[in-house]
């Protein structure tokens, strides 16, 4: 499909939610950055959110320490070392994936089992909820917690037939 075939398409406001920020290459993050870059090139407004933490309740002292220990001003520069096109979309560095820290959008995309419950709880003004499933993430969390995310009221996007089959057989 050529860019000319996209004429007349209404630009969307899209938010991707990663579980954290990494100054080193991570395959799943690179894939999200690639999607963000390509969607932005087609005229969509794309934000990739990097929360500092994912806990629902965090002690104030721990939050203050985390804020003091990281400089988000340097984060985009660190990302450029391994992803030079990160200027094509907005990188948001937020305390948590709470809706109060993120812009209103048309589409909200959770990118992992730890971000899916947050996006599922967002109000409609933050975007229609999607869940980008790049792996069965039991390697990164308890099986029951990972499995629970597959049943959340989010539209699932899987990247492989085996994930589609898993979703159809175990979580339908």
């Amino acid at each position: 499909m050529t860019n000319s075939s996209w004429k007349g398409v209404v630009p969307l406001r899209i938010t991707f939610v990663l579980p954290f920020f990494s100054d080193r290459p991570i395959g799943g993050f690179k894939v999200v950055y690639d999607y963000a870059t390509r969607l932005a090139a087609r005229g969509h407004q794309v934000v990739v959110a990097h929360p500092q933490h994912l806990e629902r309740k965090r002690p104030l002292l721990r939050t203050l320490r985390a804020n003091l220990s990281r400089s988000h001003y340097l984060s985009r520069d660190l990302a450029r070392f391994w992803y030079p096109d990160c200027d094509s979309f907005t990188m948001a560095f937020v305390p948590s994936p709470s809706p109060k820290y993120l812009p209103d959008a048309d589409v909200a995309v959770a990118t992992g089992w730890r971000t899916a419950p947050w996006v599922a709880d967002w109000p409609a003004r933050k975007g229609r909820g999607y869940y980008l499933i790049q792996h069965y993430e039991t390697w990164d969390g308890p099986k029951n917690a990972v499995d629970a995310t597959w049943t959340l009221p989010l539209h699932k996007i899987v990247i492989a037939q085996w994930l589609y089959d898993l979703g159809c057989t175990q979580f339908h």
Side-chain angles (χ1 to χ4, degrees):
M1 191 174 285
T2 64
N3 284 341
S4 63
S5 64
W6 286 93
K7 289 183 180 174
V9 173
V10 176
L12 296 173
R13 299 167 300 158
I14 303 166
T15 302
F16 288 93
V17 183
L18 289 169
F20 54 88
F21 172 75
S22 177
D23 60 354
R24 295 185 177 95
I26 296 176
F29 283 37
K30 183 184 181 306
V31 169
V32 171
Y33 286 1
D34 284 345
Y35 290 152
T37 298
R38 291 176 181 171
L39 288 164
R42 292 191 170 156
H44 301 291
Q45 295 175 339
V46 183
V47 172
V48 178
H50 304 84
Q52 283 187 312
H53 68 87
L54 295 169
E55 296 110 14
R56 293 284 179 169
K57 294 181 181 176
R58 186 174 184 167
L60 180 59
L61 184 58
R62 244 175 97 197
T63 300
L64 290 173
R65 276 192 200 137
N67 288 339
L68 292 173
S69 68
R70 293 185 189 178
S71 171
H72 287 152
Y73 297 106
L74 297 175
S75 296
R76 182 178 289 282
D77 292 333
L78 290 171
R80 275 192 197 101
F81 285 117
W82 68 270
Y83 196 84
D85 291 334
C86 65
D87 286 329
S88 63
F89 54 88
T90 301
M91 293 179 89
F93 302 96
V94 296
S96 75
S98 170
K100 68 182 175 185
Y101 299 119
L102 294 159
D104 290 351
D106 302 302
V107 176
V109 184
T111 61
W113 78 271
R114 291 184 286 158
T115 62
W118 285 93
V119 173
D121 287 344
W122 283 3
R125 72 179 187 282
K126 296 301 173 182
R128 188 172 189 173
Y130 289 82
Y131 183 10
L132 175 62
I133 301 172
Q134 299 186 74
H135 204 284
Y136 183 43
E137 297 177 286
T138 54
W139 53 268
D140 187 41
K143 183 180 183 313
N144 62 333
V146 172
D147 287 354
T149 65
W150 284 70
T151 62
L152 291 170
L154 297 169
H155 301 278
K156 310 321 182 269
I157 304 168
V158 295
I159 62 149
Q161 184 66 45
W162 72 272
L163 290 168
Y164 176 81
D165 294 341
L166 180 69
C168 288
T169 59
Q170 290 192 20
F171 305 108
H172 191 292

